[in-house]
Amino acid sequence: MAQTDHQTMRRVLRREIAGTIGLLTDEQDFRAMRRYRSFTFDDHATYLRQVEALLRTRAAQGGHTTVALFDPQEYADYCADVGLDPDKASSRTRFTAELAALGPALPYDGQPLTELLPALVDEAVRQATWEYASTLLSRLGACASCGEDLGRAALNRASDLVARILDTAPPGHHHLVCSVSSTPEPLLAVLHADQNQTGELDLDQAESLEFTTVLALGLATHTPGGLVMRTTAHGTADQIYGWRLRGDGLEPLTAGEVFDAYCTDAESGDLISPESNVDYREPPDLGGNGAATAHRH
């Protein structure tokens, strides 16, 4: 009887343990891990099927699992830095635990792996974009004239502009895209904002931080770029308008410029048929374009 009670308690405790699995999302990363003898999988498709079966089993048993993006090169560097043997399952487990706290990771909610994989890659791109933009902002240093931290001033400026954009937006679901012509490749950030039943906006904090940071970098470095918002609401045409980054502010695009941007193929330059039930328009006045928060001398 006592043994049965102990087994029951252990089963209950297993449901209290949160787990993390490091996922190799593509064939190239999978091949890189096959150089380790302790990594016994030999086919990526079979590996993904087994991962999905494990995730479903844990979910059916009431367990919570976080799926993290496993990068073989980062793993090798990690093992070298902390003195671990990379050809041990315990080393992979320890690295995966670090990923759950710091790296790109998403909770498994029962969705097919075909949906989870691209979402996990997108999360990794978002995190890398934010880290890169944050690093560049931190390197700007202090203003030679007044000593103000230029990166922090740009973040305050960008936060103010985003708040003004959302405050002046029509009701509905908002999809914002900010692009900055950075090198070696452009930076792109997306922000979604939904109005709840009380009229307040629901924002994902990580998404908002990334979006604001990319915008701040463009403003601080006076880099060419743009910001476009699309609002969707029941019973009305979608509204699309935007701005170009100009100096440390935003310059409104005309309705014609927005139309041209959406109806021209970016690669070929050919015209694209405009979407139906879409209103390309000029943006609302942002109230002085946030001049009070700009860093000027």
Side-chain angles (χ1 to χ4, degrees), residues 75-86:
Y75 170 65
D77 293 342
Y78 171 82
C79 289
D81 289 341
V82 301
L84 293 177
D85 180 358

Side-chain angles (χ1 to χ4, degrees), residues 6-290:
H6 287 313
Q7 290 174 344
T8 301
M9 285 188 288
R10 281 195 291 269
R11 283 196 297 269
V12 172
L13 283 173
R14 276 197 290 269
R15 292 198 295 267
E16 302 293 326
I17 299 174
T20 303
I21 184 168
L23 186 61
L24 297 160
T25 59
D26 61 51
E27 184 74 37
Q28 182 177 348
D29 287 346
F30 182 83
R31 287 198 303 268
M33 290 302 295
R34 291 195 61 200
R35 62 184 171 177
Y36 302 119
R37 294 180 60 187
S38 61
F39 186 80
T40 57
F41 296 96
D42 57 11
D43 179 75
H44 189 232
T46 302
Y47 160 82
L48 291 178
R49 285 196 297 270
Q50 293 298 321
V51 169
E52 186 164 23
L54 174 62
L55 290 171
R56 288 177 175 173
T57 299
R58 284 184 52 82
Q61 294 173 346
H64 173 81
T65 309
T66 298
V67 182
L69 187 68
F70 195 104
D71 184 286
Q73 186 56 54
E74 289 183 4
Y75 170 65
D77 293 342
Y78 171 82
C79 289
D81 289 341
V82 301
L84 293 177
D85 180 358
D87 201 0
K88 285 187 176 181
S90 58
S91 300
R92 292 193 291 274
T93 302
R94 181 169 166 180
F95 175 67
T96 300
E98 295 278 346
L99 286 178
L102 303 174
L106 292 174
Y108 176 72
D109 296 322
Q111 67 271 51
L113 216 55
T114 52
E115 295 180 8
L116 183 61
L117 287 179
L120 188 58
V121 172
D122 287 345
E123 179 67 19
V125 171
R126 283 194 295 268
Q127 183 167 324
T129 298
W130 173 75
E131 290 176 350
Y132 179 70
S134 298
T135 298
L136 294 183
L137 278 177
S138 67
R139 291 175 179 173
L140 295 177
C143 174
S145 299
C146 68
E148 183 177 11
D149 186 296
L150 295 175
R152 185 175 295 111
L155 280 171
N156 291 337
R157 168 80 167 150
S159 296
D160 180 73
L161 287 172
V162 172
R164 290 170 184 260
I165 289 170
L166 294 175
D167 286 344
T168 57
H173 167 74
H174 310 301
H175 178 85
L176 295 84
V177 178
C178 179
S179 59
V180 173
S181 301
S182 180
T183 54
E185 59 185 35
L187 295 179
L188 186 73
V190 177
L191 177 63
H192 299 89
D194 288 297
Q195 278 186 327
N196 58 30
Q197 294 180 347
T198 63
E200 297 178 346
L201 287 172
D202 289 328
L203 297 171
D204 181 276
Q205 294 303 313
E207 206 177 63
S208 180
L209 178 60
E210 180 208 345
F211 188 89
T212 303
T213 303
V214 170
L215 176 58
L217 179 64
L219 297 174
T221 58
H222 295 188
T223 303
L227 193 160
V228 177
M229 181 166 74
R230 180 173 190 146
T231 299
T232 302
H234 180 69
T236 63
D238 286 8
Q239 298 186 44
I240 302 178
Y241 52 80
W243 300 261
R244 65 171 55 87
L245 274 62
R246 180 62 59 88
D248 59 359
L250 298 176
E251 180 180 272
L253 295 172
T254 66
E257 288 173 324
V258 177
F259 179 88
D260 289 343
Y262 270 81
C263 300
T264 304
D265 185 276
E267 294 184 359
S268 67
D270 296 335
L271 294 178
I272 303 173
S273 298
E275 296 181 63
S276 60
N277 202 34
V278 172
D279 179 19
Y280 304 95
R281 46 166 289 194
E282 294 185 10
D285 183 12
L286 297 182
N289 204 19

